[in-house]
């Protein structure tokens, strides 16, 4: 017993000498990083103090045991003190071994079932991942939590608050500017050009234009255009009497007298005026009916006549050739980009003001309209439930993957830094309980066999 008691402090001191925190302080317990946060430094200091306290209790028990063991023959009552100190040392050593075995090999000895965390960190990470996935990443758990929070109303309160719409508009402006910065103008123009070619140039123009024209002509919407053209023609004839005379004179033979040209010109102008007024006055005039017939046949031919369809395609090719399409895409993108950038850079622009008003109105509706708030909460819950069901394994897998990438020693140090302080209470309690147990056992044995 005397030999063992003399070696006990040496073993404890050897263990302390092997611990990184005993040599380098709390920074080593954080891991290999040189940057230690204030929180980690505080935890490392607390852990170091608790270890020192537990070691001091063990050393104190060893001193008491040595003194009591040496003097117990002279003072028999010291036998009870020796028994208590002996039990305290046993309890302290046993609990020290248990706590140390979690994080490292005690005194460097590779005893079976020790250094549990460094050796089994991957299994621990996988178990923790499974625990989180089973108990936290559950669709019902997520939905119940979101339902209790009532996100829709809280979001509505914020959106209609004085600074809410401005903040949303500011973040939206930053997002738009960032998107325009990332987007390549040539790529966007190529996309617009491709959409124009796919949806405008590739489909034949004749049949859809013919169908649309057929409906317009059947419903008589073109009559107003015909009326406008006839009215403009009547105004031109009334204002251009001299022009009509000159046209007649220019086309008459040279030998015809000028007064005869004037008479013919006056007659042509008068008859032309009568004709135009007749067309104006009579909605069923033959000219109008002829125009209706021509337009109806044109709409039909655009749909069914291959020659007319080909002519329409030729007109399309002349209007929108490759250079024109590229220029159209460039102008479209440039207009959109400049308009949006100008609008988002000006907080008082029409777009910004309308956007803020819309955000504020939506927030008010979320607060005041219980049905809308319920729908939004349901949509959020369904979306969150879908994401959890679909990606729960991937989300939880981050834990196991992260732990798997950690170094074994670093993992042990990280975990010890978080829970080591509380575990040191086990050593302290073990010392106290061991001392009481040793005293109780010795007392009972002395009473029974004394």
């Amino acid at each position: 017993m005397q030999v063992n008691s003399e070696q006990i402090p040496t073993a404890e001191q050897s263990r302390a000498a092997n611990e990184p925190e005993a040599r380098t302080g709390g920074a080593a317990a954080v891991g290999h990083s040189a940057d230690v946060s204030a929180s980690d430094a505080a935890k490392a200091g607390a852990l170091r103090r608790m270890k020192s306290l537990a070691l001091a209790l063990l050393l104190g028990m060893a001193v008491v045991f040595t003194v009591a063991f040496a003097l117990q023959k002279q003072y028999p009552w010291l036998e009870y003190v020796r028994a208590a100190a002996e039990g305290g040392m046993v309890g302290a050593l046993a609990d020290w071994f248990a706590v140390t075995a979690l994080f490292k090999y005690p005194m460097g000895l590779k005893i079976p079932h020790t250094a549990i965390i460094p050796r089994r960190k991957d299994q621990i990470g996988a178990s923790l991942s499974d625990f989180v996935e089973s108990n936290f990443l559950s669709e019902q758990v997520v939905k119940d939590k979101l339902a209790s929070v009532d996100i829709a109303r809280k979001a509505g309160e914020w959106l209609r608050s004085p600074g809410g719409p401005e903040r949303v508009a500011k973040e939206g402006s930053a997002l738009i500017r960032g998107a325009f910065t990332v987007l390549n103008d040539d790529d966007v123009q190529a996309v617009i050009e491709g959409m124009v070619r796919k949806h405008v140039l590739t489909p034949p123009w004749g049949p859809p234009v013919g169908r649309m024209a057929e409906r317009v002509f059947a419903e008589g919407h073109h009559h107003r255009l015909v009326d406008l053209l006839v009215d403009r023609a009547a105004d031109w004839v009334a204002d251009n009497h001299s022009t009509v005379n000159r046209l007649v004179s220019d086309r008459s033979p040279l030998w015809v007298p000028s007064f005869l040209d004037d008479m013919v010109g006056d007659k042509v102008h008068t008859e032309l005026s009568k004709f135009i007024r007749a067309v104006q006055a009579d909605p069923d005039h033959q000219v109008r009916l002829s125009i209706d017939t021509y337009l109806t046949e044109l709409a039909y031919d655009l749909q069914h006549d291959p020659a007319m369809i080909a002519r329409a395609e030729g007109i399309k090719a002349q209007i929108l050739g490759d250079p024109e399409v590229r220029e159209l895409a460039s102008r479209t993108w440039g207009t959109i980009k400049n308009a949006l950038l100008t609008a988002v850079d000006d907080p008082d622009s029409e777009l910004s003001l309308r956007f803020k008003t819309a955000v504020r109105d939506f927030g008010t509706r979320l607060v005041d309209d219980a049905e809308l708030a319920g729908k939004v909460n349901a949509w959020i819950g369904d979306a969150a439930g879908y994401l959890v069901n679909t990606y729960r394994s991937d989300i939880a897998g981050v834990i196991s993957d992260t732990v798997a990438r950690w170094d074994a020693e670093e993992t042990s140090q990280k975990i010890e830094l978080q829970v080591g302080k509380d575990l040191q209470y086990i050593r302290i309690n073990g010392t106290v309980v061991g001392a009481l147990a040793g005293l109780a056992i010795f007392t009972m044995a002395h009473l029974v066999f004394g």
Side-chain angles (χ1 to χ4, degrees):
M1 178 67 71
Q2 180 67 37
V3 175
N4 291 338
S5 64
E6 292 175 352
Q7 293 176 346
I8 289 173
T10 303
E12 179 68 14
Q13 292 169 354
S14 174
R15 181 192 65 81
N18 290 328
E19 292 177 345
E21 65 273 14
R23 291 181 284 113
T24 62
V30 181
H32 300 300
S33 175
D35 298 327
V36 182
S37 68
S39 176
D40 288 345
K43 291 178 181 179
L47 174 61
R48 185 168 58 252
R49 288 191 295 272
M50 291 302 300
K51 285 185 174 183
S52 299
L53 177 59
L55 178 59
L57 286 176
L58 175 59
L59 294 177
M61 287 293 176
V63 171
V64 171
F65 173 80
T66 302
V67 173
F69 186 84
L71 301 177
Q72 63 182 349
K73 291 184 178 180
Q74 296 178 0
Y75 306 98
W77 58 270
L78 287 177
E79 292 180 353
Y80 294 91
V81 177
R82 176 192 58 78
E86 188 175 11
M89 287 191 298
V90 172
L93 289 174
D95 288 335
W96 162 79
F97 183 90
V99 172
T100 304
L102 289 174
F103 305 105
K104 56 178 69 72
Y105 292 110
M107 295 184 295
L109 301 176
K110 294 186 177 182
I111 303 172
H113 306 293
T114 57
I116 296 174
I117 292 177
R119 289 190 305 105
R120 298 178 58 84
K121 72 176 182 67
D122 293 343
Q123 294 90 328
I124 294 173
S127 298
L128 181 59
S129 175
D130 293 339
F131 176 78
V132 172
E133 179 178 352
S134 301
N135 295 277
F136 295 96
L137 298 179
S138 166
E139 179 179 3
Q140 193 58 45
V141 171
V142 172
K143 284 188 174 182
D144 291 344
K145 181 60 178 178
L146 292 176
S148 65
V149 173
D150 194 4
I151 294 179
R153 291 187 181 277
K154 290 184 180 297
E157 290 286 358
W158 183 78
L159 290 176
R160 73 174 185 176
S161 63
E166 287 73 14
R167 179 63 181 274
V168 174
K170 181 180 178 180
E171 297 299 333
S173 299
L175 180 62
I176 292 175
R177 286 192 294 270
F180 282 140
T181 302
V182 173
L183 291 176
N184 183 278
D185 289 347
D186 294 336
D187 294 338
V188 176
Q189 292 172 15
V191 171
I192 296 176
E193 182 179 346
M195 294 177 63
V196 171
R197 293 185 182 279
K198 179 179 179 180
H199 299 288
V200 177
L201 297 183
T202 300
W205 280 14
V209 172
R211 288 191 295 270
M212 181 177 64
E214 186 176 39
R215 289 194 297 270
V216 171
F217 300 152
E219 296 174 3
H221 296 302
H222 66 291
H223 290 159
R224 292 186 178 182
L225 177 60
V226 174
D227 291 339
L228 177 62
L229 294 176
V230 172
D231 292 341
R232 294 298 299 272
D235 293 339
W236 186 89
V237 171
D239 296 336
N240 289 274
H241 182 274
S242 60
T243 302
V244 173
N245 286 346
R246 187 174 64 254
L247 290 174
V248 173
S249 177
D250 290 343
R251 285 164 176 75
S252 67
L254 296 177
W255 51 267
V256 176
S258 59
F259 73 91
L260 186 59
D261 288 339
D262 293 338
M263 293 176 59
V264 174
D266 292 340
K267 183 62 176 179
V268 170
H269 182 267
T270 300
E271 293 300 323
L272 185 59
S273 297
K274 290 181 180 179
F275 176 76
I276 293 295
R277 286 195 296 271
V279 174
Q280 279 182 305
D282 186 4
D284 295 326
H285 194 279
Q286 184 61 38
V287 173
R288 291 178 178 273
L289 297 178
S290 298
I291 293 175
D292 290 346
T293 301
Y294 172 77
L295 293 177
T296 302
E297 292 176 352
L298 177 62
Y300 180 85
D301 291 341
L302 283 172
Q303 299 178 68
H304 306 288
D305 185 7
M308 183 60 70
I309 294 175
R311 290 178 62 184
E313 290 301 299
I315 295 173
K316 178 181 71 175
Q318 292 177 0
I319 297 175
L320 292 177
D322 286 343
E324 289 78 8
V325 172
R326 284 192 289 270
E327 184 180 358
L328 174 63
S330 176
R331 288 201 307 268
T332 302
W333 171 241
T335 302
I336 294 174
K337 181 178 180 179
N338 292 332
L340 282 177
L341 286 177
T342 301
V344 300
D345 287 338
D346 182 8
D348 297 325
S349 66
E350 184 68 18
L351 178 62
S352 297
L353 294 177
R354 288 183 177 273
F355 179 75
K356 294 174 186 177
T357 301
V359 170
R360 187 176 294 106
D361 292 343
F362 181 67
T364 302
R365 288 192 60 196
L366 284 178
V367 175
D368 298 336
D369 190 341
E371 182 178 358
L372 177 61
K375 289 182 179 180
V376 172
N377 283 329
W379 293 336
I380 295 174
D382 292 341
Y386 171 78
L387 292 175
V388 166
N389 280 336
T390 305
Y391 301 105
R392 58 187 298 181
S393 298
D394 297 328
I395 298 173
V398 173
I399 299 175
S400 58
D401 294 342
T402 302
V403 174
R405 289 194 299 269
W406 285 351
D407 177 74
E409 181 180 355
E410 181 182 4
T411 303
S412 177
Q413 292 171 352
K414 285 178 179 291
I415 297 176
E416 184 178 13
L417 184 63
Q418 300 302 319
V419 301
K421 175 184 175 182
D422 295 327
L423 292 179
Q424 298 308 310
Y425 283 105
I426 297 177
R427 296 175 56 186
I428 296 173
N429 294 336
T431 304
V432 175
V433 172
L436 295 176
L439 177 60
I441 293 173
F442 180 81
T443 301
M444 292 178 61
H446 189 74
L447 292 176
V448 173
F449 303 104

